[in-house]
Amino acid sequence: MAVTVSLVVLFGALLLVMLRSRSLSAGTAFVAVMFGFFLASTGAAEPIRNMTAALASVIPSL
């Protein structure tokens, strides 16, 4: 778990730097996928899943 959280922070920071520098390439896509992969295995996955489900249920009523 501790290694996963540190990888989430590492990939998140790297993704932020790449997006802020407008460096959109295959490398950025790889970093984004790895960030999502490691984020899904942390404790933040369930609240993110719940928030996404709540947003999906609100959209049809707009």
Side-chain angles (χ1 to χ4, degrees):
M1 179 70 172
V3 173
T4 302
V5 173
S6 64
L7 285 175
V8 167
V9 172
L10 174 72
F11 280 117
L14 189 57
L15 182 61
L16 180 68
V17 168
M18 291 175 116
L19 290 176
R20 298 271 301 175
S21 68
R22 299 180 192 259
S23 170
L24 299 177
S25 64
T28 307
F30 174 75
V31 170
V33 167
M34 295 307 293
F35 174 69
F37 177 77
F38 286 111
L39 184 64
S41 63
T42 65
E46 190 62 31
I48 291 171
R49 202 173 294 126
N50 292 340
M51 182 180 65
T52 304
L55 287 173
S57 67
V58 168
I59 290 175
S61 64
L62 292 177

